Amino acid sequence: MGINGVEGDKTLQSICYKRGSLRLLDQRKLPLETTYLDIKDTKDGWEAIKEMVVRGAPAIAIAAALSLVVEVSNLASFNGTSDDAATFLRKKLDYLVSSRPTAVNLSDAAVKLNEVIDKAAAEAKEVNSVFQEAYIEATEAMLEYDVMSNKAIGSYGANFLQKHLTDNQKITILTHCNTGSLATAGYGTALGVIRALHAQGVLERAYCTETRPFNQGSRLTAFELVHENIPATLIADSAAAALMNAGQVKAVVVGADRVTANGDTANKIGTYSLAVSANRHGIPFYVAAPLTSIDLFLSTGQQIEIEERSPKELLHTRGGLGEQVAASGISVWNPAFDVTPANLISGIITEKGVITKNGADTFDIAEFVRKTSGDL
Ligand code: MRU
């Protein structure tokens, strides 16, 4: 049982960690095979992220940081001073951050860990205190914080939606991509809200999109919903507007890879289409994300770097993992994410509460972060 595992907990675990060992569930094989890969160092961690063994903004951050924990834990010896140890860790973190650019959680984790490392190196008398007391303990704390914050997101989101949307009827939610246990250290963000609504007995049904081209919805979210016995229906991405038009969607709740200071949100490609459709049908559209997904250094979504992925994801079935379906020679544009402008977003559900708009129809996220710092 890893330190992030709870005895008797039947939820899916993408990250299995205990001191000195890290195993990642190979999400490319789901739902047909459950295989864990051993991650021994940062090179294994970087490749697992790049190749989508592990994905989802919070899970990427934790898996990357833990791959360095494992490398450090298993170092036979380290020749150098505490400053050398800090430089070693900083370089490894920079390397890990290069694995996937759009999600901010990984660079946010690296910034926070670098601060811890710098402080430890300045105060430390010996190398071990930089590695052990500073880096390893700070990363393990992040792992624990992620699960706790997801549960808080679920609870704030479910209470908010119940208060504003139920009119004594159960709620139907449409979600996109995978934001559950598999995309985080546990429980999930948007899927955490759905789980909490279900636990409170107010969820009528969750609809999940396939999420082309990599099919995180059909392969992962559908799997999690079935696993949790949540009433759920899978739809093609292209069926979402028709579902809304048929009056079957009370709210849309999605995750985020990066939320800028004005509330613009980068998330899995197709999120923007859902927001446009929701707006057309007068359906509220919520983003559920931990504060580690908020990037106050960027003022708008136009500044977000959008990762483009291999053409193979479109040319072949199963997001590039299956046989060829498209004509050889066709050119492909395959952005992995898009940006939904804040004016299409009704609220941002975080572990510290729900950020709603002020009178001017804008979010003041910096003020929310300032006001709630220290809570939880
Ligand atoms: O390319 P992926 O599978 O990493 O994309 C994941 C998403 O876009 C999720 O919606 C987002 O990271 C939030 S996960 C809690």
Side-chain angles (χ1 to χ4, degrees):
M1 180 61 58
I3 70 160
N4 58 326
V6 179
E7 205 71 55
D9 187 353
K10 297 274 188 301
T11 61
L12 299 165
Q13 240 182 352
S14 70
I15 300 171
C16 284
Y17 167 76
K18 64 173 189 272
R19 281 261 169 110
S21 128
L22 173 65
R23 291 182 315 132
L24 295 177
L25 178 58
D26 188 347
Q27 299 191 25
R28 299 167 303 181
K29 304 249 166 73
L30 289 174
L32 303 177
E33 266 182 57
T34 307
T35 314
Y36 282 86
L37 300 183
D38 265 324
I39 304 296
K40 298 212 164 354
D41 53 27
T42 44
K43 185 168 172 296
D44 287 354
W46 190 93
E47 271 161 21
I49 293 167
K50 191 78 185 167
E51 297 304 322
M52 307 286 279
V53 169
V54 62
R55 27 65 49 204
I60 291 170
I62 305 281
L66 286 175
S67 72
L68 180 50
V69 164
V70 175
E71 182 166 330
V72 165
S73 307
N74 297 329
L75 268 184
S77 62
F78 182 83
N79 287 330
T81 63
S82 52
D83 280 337
D84 297 333
T87 306
F88 169 88
L89 292 170
R90 265 189 244 110
K91 277 195 185 142
K92 295 279 179 184
L93 284 170
D94 283 352
Y95 165 65
L96 288 163
V97 168
S98 70
S99 58
R100 293 196 71 189
T102 304
V104 71
N105 309 57
L106 174 50
S107 48
D108 176 77
V111 167
K112 288 177 181 148
L113 290 168
N114 274 326
E115 281 168 13
V116 172
I117 295 162
D118 287 347
K119 187 164 178 286
E123 291 167 0
K125 312 242 172 327
E126 52 174 53
V127 164
N128 197 39
S129 47
V130 178
F131 283 149
Q132 184 71 29
E133 284 146 39
Y135 184 75
I136 296 183
E137 285 175 15
T139 305
E140 288 175 351
M142 278 180 175
L143 175 66
E144 278 163 33
Y145 182 83
D146 191 57
V147 182
M148 203 167 59
S149 65
N150 288 340
K151 289 192 172 155
I153 288 171
S155 156
Y156 275 119
N159 293 342
F160 182 91
L161 294 181
Q162 261 201 78
K163 186 165 163 215
H164 292 89
L165 300 179
T166 49
D167 50 29
N168 292 327
Q169 288 187 338
K170 287 189 170 185
I171 306 174
T172 50
I173 302 285
L174 172 63
T175 192
H176 188 54
C177 197
N178 175 261
T179 60
S181 296
L182 296 168
T184 61
Y187 199 77
T189 57
L191 211 53
V193 174
I194 289 172
R195 286 169 69 149
L197 284 168
H198 177 61
Q200 292 175 10
V202 290
L203 181 77
E204 172 75 25
R205 177 160 296 274
Y207 287 95
C208 64
T209 61
E210 282 182 296
T211 318
R212 294 288 181 95
F214 203 66
N215 292 102
Q216 288 93 333
S218 50
R219 290 190 303 103
L220 309 177
T221 303
F223 181 52
E224 288 203 44
L225 288 165
V226 169
H227 185 87
E228 298 289 327
N229 285 318
I230 295 175
T233 301
L234 173 68
I235 62 164
D237 296 5
S238 46
L243 185 74
M244 291 180 193
N245 200 32
Q248 295 301 309
V249 180
K250 193 82 177 178
V252 180
V253 186
V254 298
D257 285 85
R258 193 182 292 248
V259 180
T260 57
N262 67 343
D264 291 352
T265 297
N267 191 49
K268 180 53 53 193
I269 190 73
T271 304
Y272 173 53
S273 308
L274 291 180
V276 170
S277 297
N279 182 261
R280 167 74 177 80
H281 294 93
I283 295 167
F285 184 96
Y286 295 97
V287 169
L291 294 181
T292 52
S293 300
I294 289 176
D295 182 357
L296 292 176
F297 292 106
L298 300 188
S299 47
T300 80
Q302 284 166 342
Q303 297 161 294
I304 299 174
E305 182 185 348
I306 299 292
E307 176 187 3
E308 282 193 37
R309 292 195 61 88
S310 165
K312 207 170 166 207
E313 289 189 353
L314 273 83
L315 297 172
H316 289 235
T317 57
R318 298 191 67 241
L321 304 171
E323 79 266 20
Q324 185 176 339
V325 280
S328 301
I330 187 71
S331 81
V332 170
W333 179 54
N334 185 22
F337 303 95
D338 57 27
V339 175
T340 299
N343 63 11
L344 296 179
I345 298 171
S346 316
I348 301 168
I349 304 163
T350 77
E351 71 272 35
K352 304 265 179 93
V354 181
I355 312 176
T356 49
K357 286 180 174 167
N358 56 31
D361 197 29
T362 55
F363 291 110
D364 191 346
I365 297 182
E367 172 61 9
F368 178 86
V369 170
R370 194 193 58 74
K371 250 182 23 208
T372 58
S373 73
D375 294 1
L376 199 79

